[in-house]
Amino acid sequence: AINATKVPKAQFERLEYDVTDKCCQSLLALTCPIHFTPLIPGMMGKKTMILEEEEAVLNVNCKPCCTINTRRPYGELGSVDQHNCLCCTGVSSGLSANMPIYVGCGCEHDRVAEIVAELKKRMKARGDTGQLAKTEEALEEIRSLRDELSSLKVDMQLVLRALNVPQPNVPQPNSMEDRFV
């Protein structure tokens, strides 16, 4: 019997954040004549960050012109940081091509800290650190199987001796390469 203990896979619920940068949209509407049509911030588009089980999704819906959907596995997000510019706070990651996302009016420090903490938690479980843990778990299971196989080999030799069966003459491999050929 194999006594390898499996570490339970972390379960994450689906979280959705409205990360529309209303202040930036207001500045665009005031500074560029082309953007004067929207009078209410948020009418130029909406940004939504969705944290799924295995990946982060950024949906940018700029009403009539374009829709952008970006998906990244947590291991490919790169550095996730809280970005500060003057009094504004945003989320910086590979999900937005390292351009910070300033939530709301840019002053929602608690929401940004929550998003950054949640992304980092998921990256640790699903990113490179998570992959390393899975690899170590697989290596431990391989070692356990190797030990069990050695034990079975010794038991088989004892049974063969007890039955007076001559042992086959099997050459032992000299190197690691010979073992896998």
Side-chain angles (χ1 to χ4, degrees):
I2 298 174
N3 293 332
T5 58
K6 289 194 175 187
V7 178
K9 183 179 176 182
Q11 298 292 319
F12 294 110
E13 63 182 73
R14 183 180 190 272
L15 296 176
E16 190 168 322
Y17 296 98
D18 180 4
V19 292
T20 306
D21 47 0
K22 295 175 181 147
C23 189
C24 180
Q25 288 186 13
S26 297
L27 285 173
L28 284 173
L30 292 173
T31 58
C32 183
I34 297 171
H35 296 119
F36 275 118
T37 40
L39 299 176
I40 302 169
M43 288 300 293
M44 287 172 39
K46 182 176 180 174
K47 293 181 182 177
T48 307
M49 183 180 292
I50 303 167
L51 305 182
E52 295 179 346
E53 181 76 21
E54 298 291 332
E55 60 189 1
V57 180
L58 180 65
N59 293 329
V60 179
N61 185 0
C62 299
K63 295 188 177 159
C65 2
C66 66
T67 299
I68 303 168
N69 294 317
T70 305
R71 295 181 162 274
R72 296 274 187 282
Y74 292 111
E76 294 179 14
L77 287 181
S79 177
V80 174
D81 298 303
Q82 187 167 328
H83 186 269
N84 296 315
C85 180
L86 299 175
C87 67
C88 298
T89 302
V91 179
S92 177
S93 74
L95 188 61
S96 60
N98 292 320
M99 291 291 296
I101 300 171
Y102 294 100
V103 181
C105 293
C107 299
E108 297 186 28
H109 304 290
D110 292 339
R111 176 175 262 176
V112 169
E114 176 187 341
I115 293 170
V116 168
E118 189 66 33
L119 281 170
K120 286 185 175 186
K121 180 171 69 171
R122 291 170 187 242
M123 284 175 60
K124 185 173 182 180
R126 297 288 191 269
D128 293 337
T129 305
Q131 293 300 324
L132 184 61
K134 286 180 185 178
T135 303
E136 288 174 352
E137 182 182 319
L139 182 60
E140 186 60 37
E141 191 168 329
I142 289 170
R143 286 182 180 143
S144 174
L145 288 170
R146 184 180 293 161
D147 292 343
E148 188 173 334
L149 182 62
S150 294
S151 174
L152 288 172
K153 186 176 179 181
V154 170
D155 290 345
M156 181 60 76
Q157 289 173 349
L158 292 173
V159 168
L160 290 174
R161 273 192 213 130
L163 296 173
N164 292 326
V165 175
Q167 289 190 350
N169 190 6
V170 179
Q172 295 294 323
N174 293 332
S175 67
M176 287 299 281
E177 291 175 3
D178 292 341
R179 292 181 188 191
F180 298 109
V181 176

